[in-house]
Amino acid sequence: MHRREFMSAVAAVAASTAAARVVAATPEHPASRAAKPLRILVLGGTRFLGVHITQLALDRGHTVTLFNRGKTHAELFPQVEHLHGDRDGQLDSLRGHKWDAVIDDSGYVPRHVRLSAELLAPNVSQYLFVSTISVYASLARPVTEDSPVGKIPDETVEKVSNETYGPLKALCEQAALAAMPGRATVLRPGLIVGPDDNTDRFTYWPARAARGGELLAPGTPRDPIQYIDARDLAAFALRSVENRIVGTFNVISPPGKFTMGELVDASIAAANEQVKPSPPPHAVWVTADFLEKQKVEAWSDMPVWIPEKGDEGGAEHTSAARAMHAGLSIRPIQQTVNDTLAWHLKRPKTEQDALKAGIAAQREQQVLSAWHDLKA
């Protein structure tokens, strides 16, 4: 399963089912208060990124209203106003209200985004839509915000699939921009990681290191990776609405900032400090060609990692210059790994033992044995 396939599969689940238990991450230091408190509507707000956005907004002194179906983690944030409805046309609870900004992190279908954006346009100052770098028509080469986006022959399709996920998100962007010209912000994150992410894509690495022993590591330690900590994405979203920053931004770590080696090393360090497994984790780096022959898939079996070749050879070189210039801040990789492992270790044992991403333990040992035989 390639990156696009994995991203769309996760999106389909997020659009149609309830996620696993979510616990809001507690910042190490209280967030500074905003210079001007805002009234913010969050469309969603009770799962992963939405939780971090809502918590940070409250920490910064904003007044938050959540709009959702009331089915996913309805117990979260009892102190805020909850409006119930459905993005598929059941928006009456939004009528008659005014907000300074809307943060939409739950839009996957253009019609749904159009309905909410057009309804809210007369009564809000800014609409922020969380999209994805999967909108780009091709990731074979590095992209910027001006690169072409994918298109879909039938724009009325509403089923999220491998083929439609990116183009549908691009149409969602267009719907928001058309409803609020000059007042819309589009954020295109890459892989979103950190505490509360039950997709286990990034979580796999510190969780795997915590098991100890030989750890299958893909490619070379120098291979570049890109991602965004959900808390950094939330901070940039809040910065954008607090400062009326509009436009389109790739929100992701800059190209070359992080490598696969740094991720594996940080995972091993976190495991040794928090778990102290025996035997200690030890990385065995296996070439991309050998992994391909062994049918070990990048991104799904080896999460986060993509070889620099083929249809997605430029995926780990996505430009983040525009967002960095606008104030995006990226925390150290060790902090993200430490916090992710600490959160993972507090999950129910059933979740810890059944990760949704990463190569199965038995299969990993088979590949490592074959690698050692080759090198013997």
Side-chain angles (χ1 to χ4, degrees):
M1 185 180 291
H2 295 292
R3 189 197 64 83
R4 284 187 187 273
E5 295 172 332
F6 199 92
M7 293 286 279
S8 64
V10 170
V13 171
S16 61
T17 65
R21 179 181 60 92
V22 173
V23 179
T26 302
E28 292 182 359
H29 304 288
S32 59
R33 308 289 281 186
K36 178 184 177 183
L38 302 176
R39 294 164 297 170
I40 299 175
L41 170 66
V42 179
L43 302 180
T46 57
R47 61 186 309 134
F48 191 26
L49 176 60
V51 171
H52 290 292
I53 289 173
T54 302
Q55 185 62 61
L56 182 59
L58 293 173
D59 290 344
R60 288 186 58 73
H62 300 302
T63 299
V64 178
T65 299
L66 301 182
F67 173 82
N68 51 54
R69 295 176 299 174
K71 295 181 179 180
T72 303
H73 313 302
E75 76 282 359
L76 292 180
F77 306 114
Q79 72 274 40
V80 310
E81 180 182 33
H82 289 252
L83 300 178
H84 291 161
D86 192 303
R87 303 206 57 168
D88 193 7
Q90 299 176 31
L91 304 173
D92 286 347
S93 63
L94 295 176
R95 300 182 188 279
H97 298 269
K98 290 184 179 293
W99 291 278
D100 296 301
V102 178
I103 298 179
D104 180 354
D105 76 331
S106 61
Y108 296 90
V109 176
R111 179 173 60 85
H112 296 172
V113 174
R114 186 177 305 110
L115 287 171
S116 60
E118 289 180 351
L119 172 65
L120 293 165
N123 296 314
V124 301
S125 300
Q126 185 176 359
Y127 195 104
L128 184 144
F129 179 71
V130 180
S131 186
T132 169
I133 64 167
S134 291
V135 298
Y136 294 112
S138 173
L139 292 173
R141 297 179 181 277
V143 294
T144 71
E145 290 85 352
D146 299 322
S147 297
V149 298
K151 300 183 183 299
I152 186 172
D154 182 1
E155 294 187 355
T156 66
V157 169
E158 296 190 352
K159 181 179 179 181
V160 179
S161 67
N162 298 340
E163 293 75 24
T164 66
Y165 171 58
L168 285 177
K169 274 288 198 176
L171 291 172
C172 288
E173 295 180 0
Q174 294 169 28
L177 292 167
M180 297 191 64
R183 294 185 290 150
T185 306
V186 172
L187 305 187
R188 294 173 176 169
L191 176 64
I192 306 175
V193 310
D196 301 336
D197 175 19
N198 78 313
T199 68
D200 296 327
R201 294 169 290 185
F202 186 90
T203 305
Y204 168 79
W205 292 105
R208 171 60 191 89
R211 297 207 317 261
E214 284 194 337
L215 179 159
L216 176 61
T220 77
R222 300 180 302 279
D223 290 352
I225 61 172
Q226 284 184 288
Y227 63 84
I228 181 73
D229 189 302
R231 296 164 294 182
D232 294 335
L233 176 53
F236 188 73
L238 266 295
R239 178 183 179 86
S240 296
V241 298
E242 289 169 358
N243 295 281
R244 295 294 302 274
I245 298 171
V246 297
T248 300
F249 301 87
N250 293 332
V251 188
I252 195 168
S253 57
K257 183 173 181 62
F258 299 129
T259 66
M260 197 63 205
E262 289 175 308
L263 173 55
V264 171
D265 288 347
S267 297
I268 290 174
N272 286 335
E273 179 177 344
Q274 297 184 38
V275 180
K276 298 178 175 60
S278 180
H282 169 70
V284 177
W285 291 92
V286 177
T287 66
D289 289 342
F290 184 82
L291 292 176
E292 185 176 3
K293 291 176 182 176
Q294 292 289 316
K295 301 189 184 306
V296 175
E297 296 283 353
W299 195 261
S300 53
D301 291 330
M302 296 281 99
V304 185
W305 174 75
I306 303 175
E308 295 183 271
K309 63 179 183 178
D311 293 342
E312 296 183 335
E316 302 303 314
H317 296 277
T318 299
S319 173
R322 186 181 294 180
M324 295 298 292
H325 182 73
L328 173 65
S329 178
I330 303 295
R331 69 191 60 208
I333 192 169
Q334 190 69 63
Q335 182 183 349
T336 297
V337 170
N338 288 350
D339 295 347
T340 300
L341 180 57
W343 164 77
H344 170 72
L345 294 174
K346 295 177 182 177
R347 301 166 79 182
K349 190 68 162 54
T350 53
E351 293 180 19
Q352 294 187 41
D353 293 342
L355 296 180
K356 299 180 180 68
I359 192 169
Q362 183 177 2
R363 178 65 179 138
E364 179 189 31
Q365 290 307 308
Q366 292 172 346
V367 175
L368 285 170
S369 294
W371 176 253
H372 290 316
D373 289 344
L374 178 67
K375 294 299 179 181

